[in-house]
Amino acid sequence: MLIVLAALLVTAAVALSAPDTGSDPWPAARSWRDERPAPAAQGGLEPGAPEQVAPFAAPAGKPVAIHTADLPANEASGLVASRRFPGVFYWLRDGGGATAQRPRAALWTIKLGPDAHALPVRRGENFPFAQVFAAPNGDWEDVVLDDDDNLWIGDIGANDCVSEQYLYRTLEPEPDTDDPFFVTAKWPVSFPDPAEGCRTRNAEAMLWLDGELYLFAKTAKSPVYRAVFPDERGAEVELEPVAEFDAAVNKISVSTVSTDRTRLTVAGHARYWVFAADPALRGDAYLKRALQGRPVHTGTFASRAGNASVEGGSYVPGTHDLLFVAENKEMFLLPDAPSAAVAR
């Protein structure tokens, strides 16, 4: 395992060719597509217009280097790593139009192998999807994994500040089959302190931590709330305020904790913040302590398109590497060394 992980980290570091950051242990996050040769200029473009990057189609049955690939659909808006299936990540799309080949009420799969390659998951497909039954996509924004390996989908977007919001709990099927994700429970949810004239807040990030589900409002200081589930199934979930960030951290769309619990990372569309965390603390106390501190590192996403709109991210299990997905189909990696606790 250590040999495979070392190969992944060495390859990622070479691929990214990050600039020297002195004593800063976190190089700048870059798109894994950055080393792909730029396409030739196409006729009809205005001088100085952005280059048109053609969508990448992964060859059937072949591993594909992530820095050469795009996601197969846009509007990526959440990412989580599986525990049952090593290397597997699930991501979802937020609300909007759909086709049979690019559905919205579905979870999509990435399987990260050694040497930063995405491996075929099902019948030669590198990035397949599976339908989610009984969970319409109003505005899905995040997906997390609980302690019992259930996936939770947050239909928590409310850009109009009045839309209905829901939490769905689903069972994780075998990713190499056509089995769908079955919803086992559904709860309505809304924020208790909306702005005047609103019934709720917009949100894009969730976190499962120590048996509790936390939601982050996408607003100034991105306040975080703990979900209190009712005894009656289907009754509305209450959200208890827990903490908020410093004013410099705003409107986050990603939240994730490293396997060893020493780091909490949050991100917005264009920037990420890494906080040191105390692994001995639990739940609310863990978040309060981390959010009270200053980030140990912050950086921006070097998107080829200029603004990738990152809305999904997860630590790679057993490491301090971070994988991000963006609405414009780009993928990003922030590589780091594995923690000593995990390496042992």
Side-chain angles (χ1 to χ4, degrees):
M1 176 63 184
L2 292 177
I3 294 174
V4 172
L5 179 58
L8 170 61
L9 296 173
V10 171
T11 303
V14 172
L16 291 173
S17 300
D20 182 13
T21 57
S23 61
D24 187 351
W26 290 276
R30 297 181 59 200
S31 168
W32 286 44
R33 300 190 309 176
D34 284 353
E35 293 196 349
R36 180 170 38 179
Q42 300 179 23
L45 292 179
E46 294 293 331
E51 293 173 323
Q52 304 301 301
V53 181
F56 176 84
K62 301 287 186 181
V64 57
I66 286 183
H67 74 274
T68 68
D70 297 323
L71 296 172
N74 62 3
E75 304 294 337
S77 192
L79 180 78
V80 66
S82 172
R83 278 195 298 263
R84 294 176 58 209
F85 305 102
V88 169
F89 294 78
Y90 298 104
W91 61 278
L92 50 73
R93 307 175 69 198
D94 59 18
T99 67
Q101 295 76 31
R102 301 290 182 269
R104 295 281 178 169
L107 286 171
W108 301 68
T109 308
I110 300 170
K111 186 172 184 180
L112 186 64
D115 301 328
H117 277 64
L119 304 179
V121 180
R122 183 178 66 219
R123 294 193 303 276
E125 293 180 85
N126 288 70
F127 306 109
F129 65 82
Q131 299 282 351
V132 179
F133 285 175
N137 187 339
D139 193 0
W140 291 5
E141 291 291 356
D142 207 358
V143 54
V144 297
L145 188 74
D146 70 16
D147 300 328
D148 297 316
D149 293 327
N150 296 298
L151 290 163
W152 290 73
I153 295 170
D155 191 349
I156 54 176
N159 289 310
D160 58 6
C161 79
V162 297
S163 293
E164 299 290 334
Q165 295 161 298
Y166 296 96
L167 300 172
Y168 298 103
R169 187 179 66 201
T170 73
L171 297 175
E172 180 184 14
E174 299 279 338
D176 59 354
T177 71
D178 289 324
D179 294 343
F181 291 83
F182 284 98
V183 171
T184 58
K186 170 186 176 181
W187 288 271
V189 64
S190 61
F191 286 84
D193 51 357
E196 185 177 355
C198 295
R199 65 165 300 276
T200 189
R201 290 178 180 264
N202 184 41
E204 292 186 359
M206 303 194 307
L207 184 68
W208 188 276
L209 180 68
D210 300 324
E212 305 283 359
L213 180 64
Y214 294 88
L215 283 73
F216 297 77
K218 190 181 181 184
T219 185
K221 299 187 179 182
S222 286
V224 58
Y225 305 76
R226 175 171 33 82
V228 180
F229 287 87
D231 293 332
E232 180 185 356
R233 177 172 294 192
E236 182 162 296
V237 171
E238 294 184 11
L239 295 182
E240 293 285 344
V242 173
E244 63 181 25
F245 289 92
D246 179 84
V249 179
N250 289 291
K251 299 183 179 181
I252 68 166
S253 54
V254 174
S255 61
T256 181
V257 171
S258 62
T259 308
D260 64 2
R261 299 168 59 91
T262 63
R263 293 180 186 173
L264 165 69
T265 291
V266 297
H269 286 183
R271 177 174 290 276
Y272 62 89
W273 296 268
V274 181
F275 291 85
D278 184 348
L281 297 178
R282 308 282 293 178
D284 291 8
Y286 177 95
L287 289 173
K288 288 179 181 179
R289 176 70 62 83
L291 272 55
Q292 286 172 355
R294 295 178 62 84
V296 296
H297 178 69
T298 181
T300 58
F301 299 102
S303 168
R304 293 187 66 191
N307 182 10
S309 291
V310 169
E311 291 198 2
S314 172
Y315 274 98
V316 177
T319 79
H320 286 164
D321 292 0
L322 285 154
L323 181 65
F324 295 98
V325 294
E327 288 194 328
N328 72 342
K329 303 184 183 181
E330 285 186 275
M331 289 179 278
F332 300 85
L333 176 74
L334 181 63
D336 200 345
S339 69
V342 174
R344 284 199 299 267

